[in-house]
Amino acid sequence: MQTQCLCKADWKMHQIGDPTMIKAVVPGSVYGDLLREGKMEDPFWKDNEDKACALMENDFEYIGTFKMDENMMNNDHVVLHFDGIDTLADITLNGKKIASTNNMHRTYEFEVKDLLKGDNEIKVYLHSPNKFIYEMSKEYPTIGSSDAMPGFMHLRKAHCMFGWDWGAHLPDAGIWKPVSLRAFSDARIDSVLVLQDHKKNAVKLEFKPDLLLYDNTTEEDVKIKYTVTTPDGKEIAVEGCQAEITDPEIWWPNGYGKQPLYTVTAVLTKGGKELDRWERKIGLRTVTMSREPLDIGGEEFCAMVNGVKIFSMGADYIPEDHLLGRVTPEVTRKLLEKAAWANHNCIRVWGGGHYPTDWFYDICDELGLLVWQDFMFACSMYELTPEFEANIKEEFKDNIKRLRHHASLSLLCGNNEMEMFTKFRTWVSKESEIRDYIIMYEKIIPDMVRELAPQTFYWPASPSSGGSFDEPDSPDRGDQHYWEVWHGNKPFSEYRKYLFRYCSEFGFQSFPSEKTVETFTDDPDDKNIFSYIMERHQRNGAANGKIMNYMQQTYRYPTDFSTLIYASQLLQADGIRYGVEHFRRNRGVCMGAVVWQLNDIWPVASWASIDYSGRLKALHYYEKRFFAPIMISCEEEGMVTMGKALNDYPKDFNKSIRLAVANESMKDEKLTVHWALRNADASVVKEEATEIEVKALSTTWLDKVDMSDIKIFDQYISYDVCRGDEVLSSGTVNLAMPKYFHYENPNLKLSVD
């Protein structure tokens, strides 16, 4: 097959009704082109979002001109191939309309050989997404997330582009993925399913090709030859559609081993002439989710890789930018490398965005980040008309085939939060939507996964206990979204009341770094979290007040904007640390802590650990500590909270600590644990050291230590765990809220040259 990329064609774009053409970039978007050419203001600056959203009340048109590669015409077929169009488009080639599209999440291609000539013109007419969802919401008033524009669920477009509780109303449009011409004769390779059978010291590969045959060509007319290349470039013998790899190099998640990748190449020939080739990198591994019963009741929900049960540690990923053209392999790599740096071993792709581009999964393969992949449905009901069903089936087929070979793909999940909300009738407007829910997520998708990716685990929803509306957010089975801390205004201590099996969402908000705030305002009057502009860059209702409510429970009141920004990030970090350390102390029951969320889509106050500008919040540094392979933590008792005098506590009020060491590595460790009771100036009152052995993939608890004599406002406890002289993990704990502790001024000084 021959390919001519059209991304470098002469592309121009204009708003319908305005004949002025501007230079366009493909892949890219309307907003990106308008902004680059000075035809719109920065949509992230102050409240420019409103103007940018209003622009999408209009239609836009892309026009690309290119010269045809004459060699392409020597083939029997030439198709125009779009990897992605956002979203409602009419496509014209050389004056003839060839198709319309209505799904951002699909690939499209159309036979065009008869229309091509030396000089060619493509027109892509993009209809207003705003007008479409408005009209659909009048005709079909389906209910969905109140943070998004009404009717968002009626368009197969990233839902969060219409607004979310961390996202702006910026429903961009455009040719957001590459476009090309593909020429071929007789047959071509659509995809190859690679099945793995793991035995002792060997992995057997089986290849099942999906061939597209044309012009009376049969499978007997063509041959397909496979090649497997090792990570160091050696070829492995392939017999027909099978290969056996002895002494295989096994792929592991980050922190458990290396990530070697083999290359599989399939070459399709007819009469000795090459027709097409398909090449992908794979990792040799098995991955599924274990749901074994637990002695304490319920069942575990645990990622099992190569037969090893791992504790999933990571974060939820949302689209990286409202302006899709800004997301490049380099941008995504920087983000995911920051996740791996913080000891993440997994990442959940949330279902209200879009399926990431191929490079996202390639980078996850390289870094060892297991991908929990939602299908793109979130926080809404969907009407399963015949047209909608046909549309989403093509979407599923495209994406399952595209993703199934990746070593990092660990789980396919039907939707975000819809089983739970359907059971509670939160967004249900008619009973037929419940029937449609079951058909979509418990019939159509699992059937297609079984057919197209039979070795990939399928989960009907997040959260879920396995489907059929059977206690979908049970703490004893499946995965959980826990939001009593934050949405429920419960204190951080609430985490310790639960032994979740796999917490796939939990989080706490903070403000972006002050330098990031400066990217959307230069007015000193705006630098108040209750100013109009700061609240426009906060999409979770009264969240700024909520941050302050939690802050007054924990810290003294910040004295200025800079301190408040910093304190909000420390508060976020400490709250999530409190939960994760508890989950890891109870390894074996809880086997997953996936923090909401990793990244931002624009500069905003949110739950992210990395703000939109790529700056690490305090939480991300904390994640490097509490997701470390060996981590020590403290379960303290006797915390003095607000509202009570010391003499209000009972005489037998227990003040104690109990340390635990989690070992999420593949080897047993002989370690030394130290703890010390210290005065505020860090001088030691008393201390103790204990030698312990912590088995691989386990947690070891130490004995409880009485702290009844501690002066809670003037003394604190430090602790660490060491391998020889190397400190692997450390921490401190107060038995009074930080705002009550008598800290000493460290008299820090800083000079900058």
Side-chain angles (χ1 to χ4, degrees):
M1 183 172 69
Q2 292 176 265
T3 300
Q4 180 180 349
C5 181
L6 300 183
C7 296
K8 299 301 182 183
D10 183 16
W11 287 98
K12 292 182 170 56
M13 187 270 287
H14 72 118
Q15 179 180 315
I16 300 301
D18 182 353
T20 306
M21 305 294 294
I22 64 171
K23 181 177 174 57
V25 173
V26 173
S29 72
V30 169
Y31 285 154
D33 292 330
L34 292 173
L35 184 61
R36 186 187 58 258
E37 298 300 314
K39 299 299 182 181
M40 70 178 288
E41 298 176 85
D42 180 356
F44 297 167
W45 181 255
K46 295 202 171 186
D47 59 349
N48 282 348
E49 167 199 353
D50 295 340
K51 300 176 188 175
C53 185
L55 279 173
M56 299 315 295
E57 299 291 328
N58 301 291
D59 298 347
F60 292 84
E61 184 178 48
Y62 279 78
I63 301 175
T65 56
F66 66 95
K67 285 189 176 295
M68 181 70 189
D69 181 347
E70 294 180 1
N71 293 327
M72 303 278 282
M73 301 302 285
N74 295 329
N75 294 272
D76 295 335
H77 300 272
V78 182
V79 296
L80 179 61
H81 180 97
F82 289 88
D83 284 323
I85 300 179
D86 180 19
T87 293
L88 295 165
D90 296 327
I91 303 165
T92 302
L93 178 62
N94 294 330
K96 181 175 176 59
K97 181 179 176 181
I98 57 174
S100 296
T101 70
N102 62 355
N103 191 329
M104 176 187 188
H105 308 305
R106 286 178 56 184
T107 58
Y108 291 95
E109 65 178 33
F110 315 102
E111 179 73 56
V112 294
K113 183 177 180 181
D114 292 344
L115 298 176
L116 290 166
K117 50 190 181 182
D119 294 314
N120 300 273
E121 181 184 71
I122 303 174
K123 291 185 177 181
V124 178
Y125 187 109
L126 297 164
H127 296 270
S128 164
N130 296 15
K131 288 182 178 178
F132 179 85
I133 65 168
Y134 175 71
E135 292 301 323
M136 290 297 294
S137 66
K138 289 196 300 183
E139 187 174 355
Y140 301 103
T142 304
I143 308 168
S145 171
S146 60
D147 301 303
M149 296 163 66
F152 71 88
M153 72 294 295
H154 294 300
L155 188 58
R156 293 306 295 150
K157 177 179 173 69
H159 292 345
C160 62
M161 297 173 82
F162 295 106
W164 219 257
D165 60 359
W166 36 256
H169 298 98
L170 292 171
D172 205 353
I175 307 172
W176 76 291
K177 287 186 177 182
V179 55
S180 60
L181 290 175
R182 298 183 176 186
F184 51 88
S185 299
D186 299 318
R188 59 181 170 142
I189 303 171
D190 180 42
S191 184
V192 176
L193 172 62
V194 183
L195 299 175
Q196 301 185 20
D197 182 14
H198 287 244
K199 302 183 183 300
K200 187 176 182 180
N201 298 324
V203 176
K204 181 180 177 182
L205 300 180
E206 182 180 359
F207 310 113
K208 293 189 173 184
D210 297 318
L211 300 181
L212 301 176
L213 304 171
Y214 301 89
D215 305 326
N216 300 316
T217 302
T218 66
E219 290 189 11
E220 289 72 27
D221 296 329
V222 297
K223 292 183 179 180
I224 188 164
K225 181 181 179 180
Y226 298 95
T227 303
V228 178
T229 308
T230 66
D232 60 0
K234 297 176 183 176
E235 279 197 14
I236 294 173
V238 178
E239 296 287 340
C241 291
Q242 295 183 343
E244 184 160 315
I245 303 172
T246 56
D247 298 320
E249 297 180 60
I250 300 299
W251 185 95
W252 289 96
N254 183 33
Y256 298 84
K258 297 181 179 180
Q259 293 79 42
L261 297 172
Y262 289 71
T263 302
V264 174
T265 305
V267 178
L268 183 68
T269 60
K270 180 181 180 183
K273 178 184 176 182
E274 180 176 320
L275 300 177
D276 196 10
R277 66 173 50 220
W278 178 95
E279 186 170 286
R280 300 290 188 274
K281 290 187 180 295
I282 66 168
L284 304 182
R285 90 291 183 265
T286 62
V287 57
T288 189
M289 299 298 290
S290 173
R291 298 178 62 194
E292 293 184 2
L294 290 172
D295 292 341
I296 64 169
E299 61 186 30
E300 70 180 5
F301 192 70
C302 170
M304 189 156 63
V305 183
N306 303 321
V308 175
K309 295 178 181 180
I310 73 167
F311 191 107
S312 297
M313 301 182 288
D316 295 277
Y317 167 91
I318 64 172
E320 294 172 54
D321 206 306
H322 270 303
L323 276 65
L324 295 174
R326 289 177 171 174
V327 182
T328 65
E330 294 74 24
V331 169
T332 298
R333 182 174 291 278
K334 285 180 181 179
L335 177 67
L336 295 179
E337 284 179 345
K338 289 170 183 174
W341 174 84
N343 293 308
H344 294 202
N345 61 37
C346 69
I347 189 165
R348 173 176 171 243
V349 179
W350 171 76
H354 54 75
Y355 305 91
T357 309
D358 292 342
W359 66 67
F360 172 90
Y361 303 95
D362 291 337
I363 297 167
C364 288
D365 291 346
E366 296 171 24
L367 297 178
L369 296 173
L370 288 170
V371 176
W372 171 311
Q373 176 67 57
D374 283 1
F375 286 92
M376 291 301 120
F377 301 95
C379 302
S380 179
M381 304 304 297
Y382 303 86
E383 186 166 17
L384 193 62
T385 63
E387 296 78 14
F388 185 76
E389 180 175 348
N391 193 358
I392 60 174
K393 281 183 174 178
E394 291 300 314
E395 172 189 322
F396 302 154
K397 182 170 69 174
D398 286 348
N399 287 286
I400 294 171
K401 285 186 173 184
R402 182 169 68 91
L403 305 183
R404 64 187 179 183
H405 71 277
H406 282 284
S408 56
L409 182 63
S410 66
L411 181 154
L412 290 167
C413 175
N415 66 78
N416 174 76
E417 296 189 340
M418 288 316 303
E419 182 182 358
M420 174 175 67
F421 286 125
T422 302
K423 177 173 182 174
F424 299 149
R425 302 299 193 267
T426 303
W427 290 315
V428 174
S429 58
K430 50 188 176 183
E431 291 301 303
S432 62
E433 293 171 346
I434 301 170
R435 174 205 64 202
D436 292 347
Y437 176 95
I438 292 290
I439 294 171
M440 285 174 61
Y441 306 115
E442 301 193 14
K443 175 60 179 174
I444 293 174
I445 302 180
D447 283 354
M448 294 187 71
V449 172
R450 276 190 291 269
E451 176 190 356
L452 300 174
Q455 293 184 327
T456 302
F457 184 89
Y458 176 73
W459 194 238
S462 181
S464 180
S465 295
S468 301
F469 308 117
D470 183 13
E471 296 185 81
D473 204 20
S474 167
D476 301 321
R477 292 176 292 151
D479 72 309
Q480 294 77 36
H481 293 188
Y482 183 70
W483 285 107
E484 286 303 301
V485 175
W486 183 259
H487 288 305
N489 296 307
K490 296 292 180 65
F492 299 151
S493 57
E494 201 75 6
Y495 284 120
R496 291 189 183 171
K497 294 182 179 180
Y498 300 95
L499 295 177
F500 299 120
R501 302 312 188 242
Y502 189 115
C503 208
S504 51
E505 272 194 31
F506 64 107
F508 193 91
Q509 267 205 14
S510 69
F511 297 104
S513 298
E514 188 169 5
K515 282 292 183 183
T516 299
V517 172
E518 291 171 2
T519 67
F520 61 80
T521 182
D522 59 1
D523 188 339
D525 289 343
D526 291 337
K527 288 193 172 183
N528 182 304
I529 66 166
F530 299 113
S531 72
Y532 174 71
I533 296 304
M534 286 298 292
E535 291 196 337
R536 286 303 305 269
H537 288 254
Q538 163 62 273
R539 291 310 169 90
N540 186 225
N544 288 1
K546 183 171 292 190
I547 291 172
M548 297 310 298
N549 177 47
Y550 274 96
M551 193 172 292
Q552 65 88 19
Q553 296 175 39
T554 311
Y555 303 150
R556 296 186 184 186
Y557 206 81
T559 54
D560 55 57
F561 184 74
S562 298
T563 305
L564 173 54
I565 293 288
Y566 185 62
S568 79
Q569 293 191 12
L570 290 178
L571 185 69
Q572 175 192 37
D574 221 27
I576 301 304
R577 174 196 62 80
Y578 200 90
V580 173
E581 288 183 349
H582 168 68
F583 299 151
R584 289 195 65 186
R585 283 194 293 268
N586 290 280
R587 189 198 196 280
V589 178
C590 179
M591 290 298 288
V594 181
V595 179
W596 184 271
Q597 65 206 68
L598 176 66
N599 59 300
D600 277 329
I601 195 170
W602 73 311
V604 66
S606 80
W607 299 267
S609 66
I610 303 172
D611 74 19
Y612 172 75
S613 297
R615 296 183 171 95
L616 307 189
K617 296 183 181 179
L619 172 58
H620 206 74
Y621 292 100
Y622 272 49
E623 286 178 351
K624 184 172 178 62
R625 300 178 191 176
F626 60 61
F627 285 155
I630 295 176
M631 186 271 297
I632 188 170
S633 64
C634 177
E635 185 176 83
E636 81 286 351
E637 290 184 312
M639 172 70 75
V640 174
T641 57
M642 70 175 201
K644 282 188 177 182
L646 282 179
N647 56 11
D648 289 336
Y649 288 88
K651 292 182 179 180
D652 60 351
F653 181 55
N654 180 36
K655 295 192 285 293
S656 65
I657 62 167
R658 192 178 183 196
L659 300 173
V661 178
N663 178 9
E664 199 57 32
S665 76
M666 299 284 277
K667 64 178 183 177
D668 300 344
E669 292 278 3
K670 292 185 177 180
L671 306 169
T672 303
V673 172
H674 306 90
W675 66 262
L677 176 63
R678 298 176 182 268
N679 294 317
D681 64 2
S683 59
V684 175
V685 178
K686 61 180 177 180
E687 60 185 335
E688 188 174 297
T690 305
E691 304 293 327
I692 64 170
E693 182 175 0
V694 187
K695 296 293 186 183
L697 307 172
S698 73
T699 294
T700 295
W701 287 80
L702 281 74
D703 293 336
K704 183 182 289 188
V705 180
D706 178 69
M707 288 288 168
S708 56
D709 295 333
I710 188 173
K711 299 174 183 177
I712 61 171
F713 299 137
D714 299 285
Q715 294 176 332
Y716 69 97
I717 300 106
S718 67
Y719 49 86
D720 60 52
V721 59
C722 301
R723 184 194 297 123
D725 294 331
E726 180 187 7
V727 178
L728 303 177
S729 176
S730 63
T732 62
V733 65
N734 295 349
L735 295 188
M737 298 299 287
K739 64 181 180 178
Y740 295 147
F741 193 80
H742 298 154
Y743 293 99
E744 295 202 356
N745 187 343
N747 295 309
L748 296 177
K749 293 182 179 180
L750 175 70
S751 63
V752 180
D753 294 329

